[in-house]
Amino acid sequence: MTDCGEEQRNELEALESIYPDSFTVLSENPPSFTITVTSDAGENDEIVQTTLKFTYSEKYPDEAPLYEIFSQENLADNDVRDILKLLAIQAEENLGMVMIFTLVTAVQEKLNAIVDQIKTRREEEKKLKEKEAEEAEKQLFHGTPVTIENFLCWKAKFDAELLEIKKKRMKEEEQAGKNKLSGKQLFETDHNLDTSDIQFLEDAGNNVEVDESLFQEMDDLELEDVEDEPDYNPADAGSDSTE
C-alpha cells in the first residue's frame, strides 16, 4: 500500500530545492503551495508568467492534486484556458506518481510557446500593416478605376455643385444691380454733387498759377498781319477760298 503522506513530504522537499525562489508554502494541512513559472525572455525581452497553486488531496498521488491559476502576467484569457486544459491532461496521464514537477515543466514549455506565438503574431501584424500601407500607396497613385456607374455618379454631383455656384453668382449679380444707383439717383440722394464742380472751380480760381515762361518768346514771333497790307481785299480772300 502506498504511503501517500511520505510521498507528499518527499516531493515538497524536492520542490523547495528545485524552485527556491518561486516556491511558497501556503498551508501544511492540507499541504498547499504555489510555484511561479516564468517563460524565457523573447527577442524584445517580453515574458509571460503564471503562479500555479497546488493542494494535495489525502490520496495524492493516487489521485490528482487540486490546481488553479493563482495569478498571471501578460496572458490572454485563451492562454489561461489552454494552461488549465494542459494541467488536466498531464495530471490524468501521471496518476500514481508524484507529478508536480512534471506539471510545472509542461506549463513552462507552454509559456515559452506563447512567447513564440507573440513574436509570430507581431511579425504578422507588421507584415499586414506594411501590406496595407503598400495598397494605400498604390491606391493613391492609381486612383479608383472609372466605370460607367461611378462616372455618372461623379457627373451628377459635379453638375449639382456647378448649378449651385451659378445660382449663387446670379444672385450676387442681381443684388449688386439693385444696389447700383444711376447718375440721376446719385444727384437726388446727394445734393452736394450738383455744386461740387462749381465749388472746385471757385476754390481753384484764387490759386491758379500761370507759367509765364510759356509766353516769353511770343514777342519774338514774326506774324504777318494780312489786314495791314495796302492791297488787302477781303473779297479777294473769299474768292480765293472758293476756287
Side-chain angles (χ1 to χ4, degrees):
M1 181 177 178
T2 304
D3 187 349
C4 295
E6 184 178 355
E7 289 197 58
Q8 293 175 11
R9 287 189 295 271
N10 291 338
E11 185 179 40
L12 287 172
E13 290 178 4
L15 293 173
E16 189 172 6
S17 176
I18 296 171
Y19 307 108
D21 298 326
S22 60
F23 178 83
T24 302
V25 175
L26 299 179
S27 69
E28 294 182 357
N29 189 21
S32 181
F33 55 90
T34 61
I35 298 177
T36 299
V37 188
T38 305
S39 70
D40 296 334
E43 63 177 8
N44 295 321
D45 294 329
E46 68 271 13
I47 62 171
V48 291
Q49 179 177 285
T50 182
T51 297
L52 304 173
K53 179 183 177 182
F54 297 100
T55 302
Y56 288 157
S57 65
E58 185 177 348
K59 295 181 180 181
Y60 173 81
D62 291 336
E63 62 184 25
L66 301 177
Y67 51 82
E68 63 180 274
I69 303 294
F70 192 70
S71 65
Q72 59 90 11
E73 181 178 341
N74 299 329
L75 288 175
D77 292 341
N78 61 304
D79 293 330
V80 172
R81 289 192 294 268
D82 289 344
I83 290 172
L84 292 174
K85 290 179 182 178
L86 176 64
L87 289 170
I89 294 172
Q90 292 295 320
E92 184 67 25
E93 291 178 353
N94 290 277
L95 286 176
M97 299 179 290
V98 289
M99 64 181 75
I100 301 302
F101 177 78
T102 302
L103 299 182
V104 171
T105 300
V107 172
Q108 174 79 58
E109 293 175 353
K110 178 64 177 178
L111 295 183
N112 290 337
I114 291 173
V115 171
D116 291 338
Q117 291 172 3
I118 292 174
K119 176 185 175 182
T120 302
R121 186 163 56 245
R122 286 179 177 174
E123 290 177 349
E124 291 175 351
E125 290 175 352
K126 181 180 178 182
K127 290 180 180 179
L128 180 60
K129 288 181 180 180
E130 291 175 350
K131 184 177 180 180
E132 290 176 349
E134 184 178 346
E135 291 295 330
E137 187 175 358
K138 287 182 180 179
Q139 191 72 14
L140 180 64
F141 284 102
H142 294 288
T144 303
V146 177
T147 63
I148 295 177
E149 289 77 9
N150 60 29
F151 172 76
L152 293 176
C153 181
W154 169 84
K155 188 176 186 303
K157 183 178 179 181
F158 176 79
D159 291 343
E161 292 177 353
L162 186 61
L163 181 61
E164 287 297 323
I165 292 174
K166 289 182 178 180
K167 288 181 178 180
K168 183 178 180 181
R169 185 176 299 171
M170 291 174 62
K171 186 176 181 180
E172 290 175 351
E173 291 176 354
E174 182 181 352
Q175 189 65 30
K178 290 181 179 179
N179 296 334
K180 186 175 180 180
L181 299 177
S182 64
K184 181 178 179 181
Q185 290 173 324
L186 288 172
F187 276 102
E188 289 176 348
T189 55
D190 188 354
H191 297 292
N192 293 325
L193 293 175
D194 56 356
T195 59
S196 60
D197 291 345
I198 298 174
Q199 186 65 40
F200 171 75
L201 293 174
E202 290 178 351
D203 293 343
N206 298 327
N207 299 292
V208 175
E209 295 182 2
V210 179
D211 189 354
E212 296 181 357
S213 64
L214 298 175
F215 303 97
Q216 287 179 357
E217 298 181 359
M218 291 294 293
D219 295 337
D220 299 334
L221 295 176
E222 294 182 359
L223 300 176
E224 294 183 357
D225 191 352
V226 180
E227 295 181 356
D228 292 340
E229 295 182 1
D231 297 332
Y232 172 72
N233 187 343
D236 295 338
S239 61
D240 292 338
S241 63
T242 59
E243 290 182 357

